[in-house]
């Protein structure tokens, strides 16, 4: 026996003894990547450790990828390198690309295969339809769902003599004007990159189409329509609000985000996801309220769009890992877990029975949770119609960037609203046509 | 009379070259071949299939006026960062070269910026240039609203250019200083005895003598401005506002990773690669020939 053989023998023995020292019961580890950070990320981690503590067979490893966009990018890169997590959180913007990729296992099938019986009809219809095929088969596990809301500082508004709820844009403008006259420097915090709340939700509650084919649900040959009618007026309105100092630009690049400005009391009104209700409750001092998004007088309010994300199970993992994923989904579907999750964040309860139970228990009657029921009310305001059930466009992330650029060029660089939106629409249609070519011959499931 | 060392062993040279070759293959040729393939196809973002597209991806970007805007912006960016960085570095190097008091300290101090990673510098500069809290933001106290790179594209681009130039000063400084110190003292002294003032000696003697170094730096700086600007832009402006800080390399990232248009991004990468290859070619062709001065 020479030296190398001796060494390798010794190291083999060492490894074997280490392995023997490990716990006899082998746990199945699987990864879950998500796109939340800060406060919400901590809440996800808490959820994960509760799952790990609740059973001994599986260990979920939860990894934050900062935001939905990064998570989508990183998941794709990992999937292409065959290093994908078992579970990933993909938001509305990435749904179509994933649907056509065939890179996932439909959640319904996964749960059935692993012997879990979930009452899918119990899921909030708006949430379920966003992540379902056209025939109603649910593809991903609803997890953190929300809608956009309007937040306002009641102390500041009362101080300038504005009473009641700012329900219409006319009232919002009136309140903002009173605040400005009274010396408040930032009545409304607005970030044009938040086009989900300032643009897409606006389209839904006013029932104006973002794209033809029923916002893309009817097929990949949809064309965007956001350069027409109310959209142009709305962008011109935002521009006027900026010019009069009633809206103020707040963003990461400006050094303070709109939410931070609202929490700090630097700005008195803003629009954001209901998911931030929990964060505002714990961090904002003084009195504030949440309301449904403002509409224009003379228009009929429609239901708002579902936001947030669902959990997708990716292909290419072992049966054991899928068992673990199914166990995790089953865990978060339990009424008490779902309620806990909704309580600590602000995300809506995704099941009908969950919402009814929370309502019956008086959860929404008092602070700090009062007001959150408005999100459900907003989502269920009318039955989801052709232009209020969601947006199903390929490479939607890129289309969103075009809208953001149009909004920024109008607000920052004084571009003409119609011209800016026309260009954004032309470019968006090019993106959609290229996407259609890339998936030539395929149809939305 | 050339003397050449020749390996008699046929295997040894390959073994010595091996690690480097593997690195280049894995990290350069493999990704490049992938990009080349994607550039001529329509690649599905999640993988799983692609269609032959011929030159469509290239025609698409060449027809796009926004792409040409990005190219022009990159050229402007390259000119400004290179000019600014080299000018400041040369000034500092010529002062240090004059052996004034504290020269030794400054020799090392001026190199420090080069040791800072671009994203770290980007974060630091974002604070410095922040309109509300930063050092430069103080100007807003005097003239409210005059400085806001988060909405003003020209200011945002200027901010990134200054930061990029600052980062390159250390690198340029080292080369300039070395070049200046390689000039035989007797030449400067002879000039001085003939009555040439320092500034005149600088322009008439030193600058022509360090021209090969300056040319080398020019090419290196331009290449760096094309490829290294990503880290800065991503931390400072993310290409905004209104895409006015999107240079070629950042547009590749935006289109490919954010927009999931892998094919369009691959085509742009190929164009950028050809550009850098062209610059490198010029550098070898010219600098290699002139760098020896006997």
């Amino acid at each position: 026996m020479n030296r190398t053989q001796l060494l390798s023998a010794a190291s083999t023995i060492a490894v074997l003894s280490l392995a023997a020292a490990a716990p006899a019961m082998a746990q199945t580890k699987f990864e879950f990547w998500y796109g939340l950070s800060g406060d919400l990320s901590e809440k996800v981690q808490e959820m994960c450790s509760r799952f790990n503590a609740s059973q001994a067979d599986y260990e979920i490893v939860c990894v934050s990828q900062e935001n939905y966009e990064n998570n989508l990018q990183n998941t794709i890169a990992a999937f292409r390198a065959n290093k994908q997590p078992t579970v990933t959180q993909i938001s509305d913007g990435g749904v179509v690309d994933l649907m056509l990729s065939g890179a996932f296992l439909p959640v319904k099938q996964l749960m059935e295969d692993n012997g879990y019986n979930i009452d899918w009809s119990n899921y909030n219809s708006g949430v379920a339809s966003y992540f379902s095929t056209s025939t109603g088969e649910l593809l991903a596990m609803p997890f953190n769902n929300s809608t956009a809301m309007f937040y306002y500082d009641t102390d500041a508004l009362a101080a300038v003599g504005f009473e009641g709820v700012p329900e219409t844009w006319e009232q919002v403008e009136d309140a903002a004007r009173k605040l400005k006259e009274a010396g408040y420097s930032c009545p409304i915090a607005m970030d044009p990159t938040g086009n989900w709340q300032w643009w897409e939700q606006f389209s839904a509650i006013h029932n104006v189409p973002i794209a033809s084919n029923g916002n893309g649900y009817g097929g990949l040959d949809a064309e965007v329509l956001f350069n027409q009618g109310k959209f142009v007026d709305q962008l011109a309105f935002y521009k006027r609000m900026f010019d009069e100092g009633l809206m103020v630009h707040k963003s990461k690049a400006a050094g303070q985000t709109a939410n931070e400005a609202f929490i700090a009391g630097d700005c008195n009104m803003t629009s954001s996801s209901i998911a931030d209700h929990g964060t505002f409750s714990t961090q904002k001092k003084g009195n504030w309220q949440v309301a449904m998004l403002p509409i224009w007088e003379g228009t009929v309010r429609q239901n708002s769009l579902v936001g947030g994300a669902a959990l997708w199970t990716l292909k290419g993992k072992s049966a054991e890992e899928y068992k673990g994923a199914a166990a995790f989904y089953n865990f978060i579907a339990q009424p008490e877990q779902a309620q806990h999750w909704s309580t600590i964040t602000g995300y809506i309860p995704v099941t009908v029975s969950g919402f009814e139970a929370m309502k019956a228990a008086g959860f929404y009657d008092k602070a700090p949770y009062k007001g959150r029921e408005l999100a459900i009310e907003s989502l269920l305001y009318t039955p989801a119609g052709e232009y209020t059930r969601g947006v199903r466009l390929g490479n939607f992330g890129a289309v969103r960037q075009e809208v953001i650029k149009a909004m920024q060029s109008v607000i920052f660089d004084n571009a003409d609203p119609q011209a800016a939106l026309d260009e954004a629409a032309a470019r968006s249609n090019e993106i959609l046509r290229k996407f259609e070519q890339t998936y030539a011959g395929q149809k939305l499931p | 009379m050339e003397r050449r060392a020749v390996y008699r062993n046929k295997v040894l040279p390959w073994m010595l070259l091996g690690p480097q070759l593997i690195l280049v293959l894995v990290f350069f040729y493999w990704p490049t071949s992938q990009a080349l393939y994607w550039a001529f196809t329509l690649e599905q973002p999640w993988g799983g299939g692609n269609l032959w597209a011929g030159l469509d991806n290239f025609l698409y970007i060449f027809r796009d006026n926004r792409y040409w805007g990005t190219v022009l912006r990159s050229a402007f960016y390259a000119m400004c960062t290179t000019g600014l960085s080299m000018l400041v570095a040369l000034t500092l190097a010529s002062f240090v070269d004059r052996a004034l008091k504290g020269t030794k300290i400054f020799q090392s101090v001026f190199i420090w910026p080069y040791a800072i990673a671009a994203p770290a510098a980007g974060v630091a500069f974002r604070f410095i240039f922040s309109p509300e809290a930063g050092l430069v933001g103080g100007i807003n106290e005097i003239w409210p609203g005059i400085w806001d790179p988060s909405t003003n594209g020209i200011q945002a681009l200027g901010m990134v250019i200054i930061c990029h130039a600052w980062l390159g000063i250390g690198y340029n400084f080292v080369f300039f200083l070395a070049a200046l110190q390689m000039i035989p003292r007797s030449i400067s002294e002879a000039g001085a005895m003939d009555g040439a003032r320092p500034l005149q000696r600088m322009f008439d003697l030193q600058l022509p003598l360090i021209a090969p170094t300056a040319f080398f730096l020019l090419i290196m700086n331009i290449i760096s401005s094309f490829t290294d600007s990503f880290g800065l832009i991503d931390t400072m402006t993310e290409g905004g506002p209104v895409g006015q800080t999107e240079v070629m390399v950042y547009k590749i990232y935006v289109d490919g990773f954010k927009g999931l248009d892998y094919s369009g991004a691959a085509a742009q990468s190929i164009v950028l690669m050809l550009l850098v290859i062209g610059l490198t070619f010029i550098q070898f062709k010219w600098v290699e020939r002139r760098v020896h001065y006997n």
Side-chain angles (χ1 to χ4, degrees):
Chain A
M1 219 183 233
N2 64 23
R3 252 175 87 110
T4 3
Q5 278 171 321
L6 263 177
L7 265 175
S8 71
S11 57
T12 314
I13 293 166
V15 169
L16 280 175
S17 59
L18 268 176
M25 263 263 291
Q27 265 191 335
T28 306
K29 254 191 190 185
F30 64 98
E31 280 194 29
F32 164 38
W33 289 6
Y34 60 96
L36 301 168
S37 51
D39 206 24
L40 289 172
S41 171
E42 283 165 30
K43 307 276 163 72
V44 174
Q45 293 293 346
E46 196 188 316
M47 190 86 169
C48 295
S49 45
R50 284 158 67 96
F51 171 70
N52 287 335
S54 74
Q55 45 73 49
D57 296 339
Y58 310 103
E59 188 190 341
I60 191 167
V61 181
C62 301
V63 184
S64 167
Q65 305 284 357
E66 291 297 312
N67 53 48
Y68 292 144
E69 214 178 28
N70 275 353
N71 189 42
L72 180 65
Q73 288 166 27
N74 294 352
T75 303
I76 288 178
F79 186 81
R80 300 182 70 110
N82 211 12
K83 296 252 188 292
Q84 71 273 31
T86 313
V87 179
T88 189
Q89 182 193 31
I90 303 292
S91 75
D92 49 0
V95 167
V96 176
D97 298 52
L98 190 49
M99 267 184 176
L100 292 178
S101 72
F104 63 93
L105 285 178
V107 69
K108 205 168 170 179
Q109 189 196 330
L110 176 85
M111 298 309 271
E112 275 167 18
D113 289 353
N114 289 289
Y116 292 101
N117 190 14
I118 307 255
D119 177 15
W120 298 110
S121 63
N122 188 19
Y123 278 83
N124 178 311
S125 60
V127 173
S129 74
Y130 213 116
F131 301 104
S132 297
T133 61
S134 51
T135 53
E137 190 200 359
L138 193 62
L139 300 177
M141 187 73 188
F143 178 56
N144 61 316
N145 295 104
S146 64
T147 192
M149 304 300 284
F150 197 73
Y151 293 93
Y152 58 104
D153 188 324
T154 40
D155 287 342
L157 262 66
V160 297
F162 184 92
E163 298 292 341
V165 182
E167 280 175 339
T168 64
W169 278 114
E170 283 85 353
Q171 287 167 335
V172 170
E173 188 182 345
D174 175 48
R177 208 172 289 285
K178 283 182 174 143
L179 287 163
K180 185 83 193 166
E181 277 159 12
Y184 290 89
S185 63
C186 170
I188 305 170
M190 203 275 206
D191 179 357
T193 62
N195 61 332
W196 175 67
Q197 62 265 41
W198 298 106
W199 194 250
E200 291 159 27
Q201 296 287 358
F202 164 82
S203 85
I205 60 174
H206 290 87
N207 204 22
V208 286
I210 283 188
S212 61
N213 270 357
N215 276 356
Y217 273 73
L220 294 179
D221 56 347
E223 297 207 334
V224 298
L225 300 170
F226 56 64
N227 54 337
Q228 300 171 9
K230 285 207 178 79
F231 283 117
V232 186
D233 300 339
Q234 188 66 6
L235 186 48
F237 168 70
Y238 289 150
K239 172 63 179 162
R240 184 167 61 78
M241 294 287 275
F242 266 92
D243 287 347
E244 294 183 37
L246 304 177
M247 279 185 172
V248 175
H249 177 236
K250 294 285 173 184
S251 72
K252 195 179 130 205
Q256 191 186 35
T257 64
N259 282 2
E260 286 163 1
F262 184 68
I263 289 172
D266 294 340
C267 298
N268 315 111
M269 294 182 263
T270 192
S271 180
S272 186
S273 166
I274 189 65
D276 294 320
H277 194 278
T279 308
F280 289 160
S281 300
T282 49
Q283 295 183 6
K284 184 165 170 60
K285 294 186 181 66
N287 297 307
W288 54 277
Q289 275 301 333
V290 61
M292 283 191 271
L293 290 176
I295 54 164
W296 284 103
E297 267 171 26
T299 50
V300 184
R301 182 187 289 277
Q302 305 284 315
N303 67 300
S304 57
L305 296 174
V306 174
L311 305 185
W312 297 76
T313 324
L314 297 177
K315 277 189 182 161
K317 308 302 276 191
S318 71
E320 280 303 305
E321 284 170 290
Y322 288 136
K323 278 205 178 90
F328 179 63
Y329 294 161
N330 187 54
F331 176 79
I332 58 174
Q334 298 306 313
E336 60 273 27
Q337 298 307 330
Q339 185 171 345
H340 178 76
W341 170 247
S342 176
T343 306
I344 56 176
T345 56
Y347 285 113
I348 59 164
V350 286
T351 59
V352 178
S353 64
F355 173 60
E356 295 301 336
M358 284 166 81
K359 204 160 74 173
F363 176 80
Y364 294 111
D365 293 345
K366 52 189 187 299
Y369 308 118
K370 195 174 178 308
R372 286 192 196 176
E373 74 285 358
L374 289 171
I376 306 268
E377 199 184 320
S378 173
L379 283 169
L380 302 177
Y381 204 85
T382 52
E386 216 181 343
Y387 302 116
T388 63
R389 62 186 160 183
V391 185
R392 192 153 285 183
L393 297 175
N395 275 0
F396 191 35
V399 174
R400 278 185 166 157
Q401 288 305 315
E402 294 301 335
V403 175
I404 289 170
K405 276 189 178 147
M407 289 174 73
Q408 288 184 330
S409 64
V410 169
I411 293 169
F412 301 153
D413 293 347
N414 304 318
D416 174 57
Q418 183 69 60
L421 286 173
D422 283 345
E423 195 195 335
R427 287 182 180 278
S428 298
N429 286 329
E430 278 180 19
I431 292 166
L432 293 177
R433 293 296 74 79
K434 199 167 180 184
F435 185 82
E436 198 185 353
Q437 277 172 21
T438 307
Y439 286 99
Q442 292 201 45
K443 279 203 165 67
L444 281 170
Chain B
M1 285 277 256
E2 239 180 307
R3 281 200 326 183
R4 303 184 84 169
V6 179
Y7 283 107
R8 299 205 184 283
N9 189 330
K10 292 276 179 244
V11 185
L12 185 66
W14 287 107
M15 282 174 67
L16 292 173
L17 279 172
Q20 179 68 22
L21 279 180
I22 289 170
L23 272 180
V24 173
L25 268 177
V26 171
F27 290 106
F28 183 73
Y29 286 104
W30 170 244
T32 308
S33 64
Q34 284 280 301
L36 203 58
Y37 178 55
W38 288 354
F40 289 98
T41 57
L42 284 174
E43 169 76 11
Q44 295 182 5
W46 284 83
N50 41 21
L51 297 166
W52 183 252
L55 286 169
D56 282 2
N57 291 317
F58 290 97
L59 292 177
Y60 185 81
I61 56 171
F62 290 143
R63 271 201 302 262
D64 184 0
N65 59 358
R66 190 188 281 167
Y67 181 72
W68 289 109
T70 317
V71 173
L72 284 180
R73 192 173 300 120
S74 298
F76 179 74
Y77 187 95
M79 255 163 42
C80 292
T81 52
T82 305
L84 204 60
S85 187
M86 284 178 67
L87 200 69
V88 175
L90 179 62
T91 314
L92 293 176
S94 46
F95 279 124
V96 170
D97 183 50
R98 280 180 56 77
L100 303 171
K101 208 174 177 185
T103 297
K104 287 275 174 238
I105 298 168
F106 288 113
Q107 274 180 2
S108 42
V109 166
F110 289 144
I111 302 169
W112 286 351
Y114 190 58
I116 298 172
V123 171
F125 271 88
R126 209 173 71 203
F127 281 115
I128 292 170
F129 285 114
S130 159
E132 289 184 9
L135 290 173
V136 180
I139 195 173
N140 284 336
E141 311 251 308
I142 310 165
W143 297 286
I146 199 164
W147 172 255
D148 189 1
S150 74
T151 60
N152 187 317
I154 295 166
Q155 290 178 357
L157 190 62
M159 173 175 88
V160 181
I161 285 174
I162 288 174
C163 187
H164 193 121
W166 181 81
L167 273 176
I169 288 174
Y171 180 84
N172 292 330
F173 171 79
V174 174
F175 277 87
F176 274 132
L177 186 62
L180 287 171
Q181 293 190 336
M182 263 164 60
I183 300 171
R185 287 283 143 198
S186 52
I187 296 181
S188 285
E189 281 160 10
M193 282 167 78
D194 287 342
R197 309 290 304 158
L199 207 59
Q200 199 180 355
R201 296 206 296 269
M202 178 86 206
F203 282 110
D204 291 345
L205 290 174
Q206 288 168 318
L207 275 188
L209 284 171
I210 63 167
T213 307
F215 192 75
F216 163 79
L217 284 177
L218 183 73
I219 301 290
M220 293 310 282
N221 274 275
I222 291 174
I223 292 177
S224 144
S225 80
F226 279 136
T227 55
D228 296 345
S229 45
F230 175 81
L232 276 181
I233 293 175
D234 196 48
T235 45
M236 293 179 83
T237 64
E238 297 185 22
V242 212
Q244 279 161 325
T245 51
E246 260 179 32
V247 293
M248 287 166 83
V249 67
Y250 201 75
K251 187 169 162 56
I252 292 171
Y253 166 73
V254 169
D255 288 1
F257 290 99
K258 292 193 166 186
L260 302 184
D261 176 10
Y262 282 48
S263 303
Q268 292 176 41
S269 309
I270 299 297
V271 174
L272 183 62
M273 189 181 77
L274 291 177
L275 203 65
V276 174
I277 289 177
L279 283 169
T280 315
F281 180 76
I282 293 172
Q283 186 221 321
F284 276 121
K285 188 102 178 139
W286 289 43
V287 178
E288 292 296 294
R289 210 178 277 170
R290 292 218 209 153
V291 83
H292 315 282
Y293 38 129
N294 297 325

